[in-house]
């Protein structure tokens, strides 16, 4: 039996992951699994930089347009669904590709995640109500009191991380950190980590240009169509939240676009930090193309 391979293509937003993944997919006849947690949602297209329709038709893509913004979906569910998909794929083929910048989804698929308890609707509502009243500072204060160890390590500017940890603390009466074992799960396939990196000035210029292209393609109208659903977790996303402030009259259009660019650059910096800490990456500039002679067998 030939060995099975998973090629993981990571990198910050606008680094060129989709183009490199498509090149490998065409060359080896392999499917692409998205690890971009916002590309899952059918209603969010322009602002999530999904591949164009003709590319989606040409090469099998999974976890793109697979959910509605009204659906609940977790990293744990992604792990289960992606592993099931790969098990079926590997019955016939030897290579699959994962591409995306959502680090926790990559980690879940490649090495597994700790198991956390289910969260009740009452707990979710308690956290949501507190955040609605006190904002991110309320999340920080509550988490610092309930789990100071995790609070010392968490990205305090990431409300999703704060929210999730606080839900677990409230639901179980135990610190979130008590559920984090750090154990890794072996997978029945070889994993190859390819990280795309560009000099910061080059990456930021690409980000700015892409935001301009998104605006030209109709990002404002896409965000306006989602305005009534702005409370949903899926829409707490760079490229959408900024427009909601504009629609509420708190920002000018020009300032909104400037903030999208700045917040996207901030996000890219956080992605770079995560990728440096996780995975045995082979790091390349996309223009180097070191993979010309690669084979997987």
């Amino acid at each position: 039996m030939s060995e099975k391979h998973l090629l993981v293509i990571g990198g910050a937003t606008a680094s060129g992951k989709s183009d490199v993944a498509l090149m490998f997919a065409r060359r080896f006849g392999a499917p692409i699994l998205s690890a971009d947690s916002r590309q899952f949602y059918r209603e969010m297209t322009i602002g999530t930089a999904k591949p164009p329709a003709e590319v989606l038709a040409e090469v099998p893509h999974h976890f793109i347009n697979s959910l509605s913004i009204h659906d609940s979906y977790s990293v744990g569910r992604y792990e289960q669904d992606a592993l099931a998909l790969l098990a079926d794929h590997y019955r016939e083929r030897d290579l699959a590709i994962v591409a995306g910048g959502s680090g926790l989804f990559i980690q879940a698929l490649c090495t597994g995640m700790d198991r956390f308890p289910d969260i009740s609707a009452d707990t979710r509502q308690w956290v949501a109500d507190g955040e609605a009243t006190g904002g991110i500072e309320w999340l920080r204060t509550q988490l610092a009191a309930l789990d100071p160890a995790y609070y010392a390590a968490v990205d305090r500017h990431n409300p999703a991380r704060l929210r999730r940890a606080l839900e677990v603390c409230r639901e179980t009466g135990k610190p979130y950190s008590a559920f984090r074992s750090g154990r890794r799960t072996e997978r029945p396939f070889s994993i190859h980590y390819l990280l795309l990196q560009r000099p910061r000035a080059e990456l930021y210029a690409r980000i700015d240009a892409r935001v301009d292209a998104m605006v030209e393609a109709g990002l404002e109208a896409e965000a306006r169509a989602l305005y009534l659903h702005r409370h949903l977790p899926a829409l707490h996303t760079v490229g959408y939240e900024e427009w909601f402030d504009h629609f509420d009259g708190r920002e000018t259009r020009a300032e909104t676009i400037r903030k999208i660019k700045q917040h996207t650059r901030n996000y890219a910096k956080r992605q770079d930090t995560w990728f440096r800490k996780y995975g045995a990456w082979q790091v390349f500039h996309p223009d180097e193309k070191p993979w010309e002679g690669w084979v997987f067998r």
Side-chain angles (χ1 to χ4, degrees):
M1 180 182 295
S2 60
E3 188 175 6
K4 308 303 179 183
H5 302 270
L6 182 67
L7 175 60
V8 180
I9 302 173
T13 187
S15 60
K17 299 182 295 297
S18 295
D19 290 342
V20 173
L22 182 60
M23 180 275 298
F24 275 110
R26 286 168 169 162
R27 178 175 169 184
F28 293 102
I32 298 172
L33 284 67
S34 176
D36 183 323
S37 64
R38 291 307 186 247
Q39 290 187 349
F40 298 167
Y41 300 108
R42 290 185 290 273
E43 300 89 341
M44 303 165 66
T45 295
I46 298 172
T48 60
K50 289 175 184 171
E54 58 270 23
V55 171
L56 295 178
E58 175 192 357
V59 172
H61 283 73
H62 302 279
F63 304 104
I64 292 180
N65 296 328
S66 55
L67 298 170
S68 165
I69 57 173
H70 302 283
D71 295 331
S72 177
Y73 199 66
S74 66
V75 176
R77 279 282 308 281
Y78 176 82
E79 177 187 358
Q80 295 169 12
D81 292 346
L83 287 173
L85 189 154
L86 288 175
D88 185 61
H89 170 72
Y90 286 142
R91 292 189 180 98
E92 301 293 335
R93 306 300 293 270
D94 296 336
L95 175 68
I97 300 162
V98 172
S102 297
L104 287 180
F105 286 80
I106 291 174
Q107 182 181 358
L109 174 57
C110 294
T111 59
M113 296 290 288
D114 294 323
R115 299 301 176 194
F116 294 94
D118 293 333
I119 305 300
S120 67
D122 287 346
T123 293
R124 291 192 190 280
Q125 192 61 54
W126 178 80
V127 173
D129 289 346
E131 184 180 5
T133 301
I136 194 170
E137 193 56 43
W138 181 86
L139 295 174
R140 293 168 179 159
T141 300
Q142 293 292 323
L143 185 59
L146 294 174
D147 190 351
Y150 183 67
Y151 182 74
V154 70
D155 176 2
R156 299 175 197 175
H157 297 283
N158 187 326
R161 301 274 179 88
L162 299 170
R163 192 181 305 121
R164 175 59 174 159
L166 188 54
E167 287 174 347
V168 171
C169 293
R170 171 78 173 187
E171 185 73 23
T172 66
K174 299 178 181 178
Y176 178 79
S177 53
F179 295 89
R180 302 176 75 221
S181 69
R183 290 190 297 269
R184 294 192 168 210
T185 303
E186 293 297 321
R187 300 304 192 198
F189 43 80
S190 296
I191 302 175
H192 311 271
Y193 294 97
L194 175 61
L195 181 62
L196 305 183
Q197 281 193 343
R198 297 177 183 269
R200 182 163 295 179
E202 178 185 336
L203 180 65
Y204 287 2
R206 286 172 60 89
I207 288 171
D208 290 350
R210 188 162 79 170
V211 171
D212 287 336
M214 287 176 173
V215 173
E216 181 68 23
L219 178 58
E220 181 177 0
E222 181 174 86
R224 190 177 290 278
L226 296 170
Y227 176 75
L228 293 179
H229 309 294
R230 61 192 182 280
H231 62 285
L232 295 175
L235 291 168
H236 295 169
T237 299
V238 173
Y240 294 90
E241 284 187 307
E242 295 85 358
W243 286 112
F244 301 150
D245 286 341
H246 171 58
F247 301 151
D248 287 337
R250 291 194 291 269
E251 296 288 357
T252 66
R253 188 175 188 272
E255 181 64 9
T256 295
I257 295 170
R258 188 197 69 78
K259 281 192 172 182
I260 292 173
K261 293 177 179 179
Q262 180 61 58
H263 294 167
T264 304
R265 293 193 293 267
N266 294 344
Y267 176 56
K269 187 174 181 179
R270 293 195 298 271
Q271 288 176 301
D272 278 339
T273 299
W274 188 90
F275 283 118
R276 283 198 297 270
K277 293 180 179 178
Y278 174 83
W281 299 96
Q282 300 181 68
V283 182
F284 300 106
H285 188 289
D287 292 346
E288 294 178 26
K289 300 180 180 179
W291 43 78
E292 294 295 341
W294 287 8
V295 295
F296 298 92
R297 64 165 70 97

